[in-house]
Amino acid sequence: QKEVEQNSGPLSVPEGAIASLNCTYSDRGSQSFFWYRQYSGKSPELIMSIYSNGDKEDGRFTAQLNKASQYVSLLIRDSQPSDSATYLCAVLTSGTYKYIFGTGTRLKVLA
Amino acid sequence: GAGVSQSPSNKVTEKGKDVELRCDPISGHTALYWYRQSLGQGLEFLIYFQGNSAPDKSGLPSDRFSAERTGGSVSTLTIQRTQQEDSAVYLCASSLGDLYQETQYFGPGTRLLVL
């Protein structure tokens, strides 16, 4: 079992719709969770970080964390073509100094 | 201000040669991270420095890989006796503070191709 799992996609949504990106992780003791966006040929950039159960909102982005289910998600409201990118989920594993990344979900927002 | 810079931007080398990759973090950032990204793959975390110290080196793929940081600033990642499977983009990131809370800012990466 991979430590951090994401559906590779592509996930296609129409412009203006809500895009929902999901991530599961195996280390129950993990405390810190991150979503990065990576455009093709570019370096990742941090979108959201979340540390406690529940929702965290920042503009059009909402991160959701459910530690009991070992599940973290990212919702993008009013999706724009410029949101088309690969979204990477990252987990800081407990008791270590390592970030574990998923392989990413490719999002395509159709104009 | 200046972001994270990495050099070289591209490196082509022959199998068996040694390569050295350099990372200049954002000024004042105490934490520095090295990652590797193979084609179509997610990021593989290699090592983390807090100041000049790396608490855990177990993420390095093999003993051919080593990393150091001096003066709390520049870091080098050295790959000895390169193999074709080392071909990847090597990304460096830095953050203001510690591992758990701070935003990491990524450099443009070094694209390594081992022939």
Side-chain angles (χ1 to χ4, degrees), chain B residues 7-41:
Chain B
S7 62
S9 54
N10 291 280
K11 177 71 176 179
V12 180
T13 190
E14 294 179 349
K15 179 181 171 181
K17 299 286 189 182
D18 296 352
V19 295
E20 187 173 280
L21 312 180
R22 176 186 169 109
C23 173
D24 281 271
I26 293 172
S27 178
H29 280 195
T30 61
L32 186 147
Y33 315 79
W34 282 100
Y35 297 87
R36 177 170 72 173
Q37 189 170 34
S38 302
L39 187 64
Q41 300 296 311

Side-chain angles (χ1 to χ4, degrees), chain B residues 15 36 38 64-65 82-88 90 114:
Chain B
K15 179 181 171 181
R36 177 170 72 173
S38 302
R64 297 185 294 104
F65 287 71
T82 52
Q83 303 295 311
Q84 288 179 332
E85 61 262 29
D86 299 333
S87 297
Y90 289 82
V114 182

Side-chain angles (χ1 to χ4, degrees), chain A residues 32 34 36 38 41-46 49 51 88 92-93 95-104, chain B residues 33 35 37 40-43 45 48 55-56 58-59 91 99-104 106-109 111:
Chain A
S32 304
F34 307 86
Y36 286 83
Q38 186 173 27
K42 301 295 185 182
S43 297
E45 55 181 331
L46 183 69
S49 58
Y51 308 104
L88 300 167
L92 185 61
T93 55
T96 75
Y97 297 90
K98 297 178 186 176
Y99 283 94
I100 307 296
F101 280 77
T103 53
Chain B
Y33 315 79
Y35 297 87
Q37 189 170 34
Q41 300 296 311
L43 269 68
F45 182 75
Y48 152 70
D56 183 353
S58 63
L91 289 161
L99 185 67
Y100 299 95
Q101 301 283 341
E102 299 287 344
T103 299
Q104 296 183 37
F106 281 81
R111 284 157 181 76

Side-chain angles (χ1 to χ4, degrees), chain A residues 56-111:
Chain A
K56 179 181 177 182
E57 187 174 318
D58 184 1
R60 295 187 296 111
F61 299 95
T62 298
Q64 298 175 319
L65 175 61
N66 183 326
K67 290 185 180 180
S69 300
Q70 294 174 241
Y71 175 96
V72 58
S73 64
L74 180 70
L75 302 178
I76 307 175
R77 289 181 298 284
D78 188 23
S79 295
Q80 301 297 310
S82 59
D83 295 326
S84 299
T86 295
Y87 289 80
L88 300 167
C89 172
V91 176
L92 185 61
T93 55
S94 58
T96 75
Y97 297 90
K98 297 178 186 176
Y99 283 94
I100 307 296
F101 280 77
T103 53
T105 297
R106 190 156 62 97
L107 173 67
K108 297 174 71 173
V109 181
L110 307 174

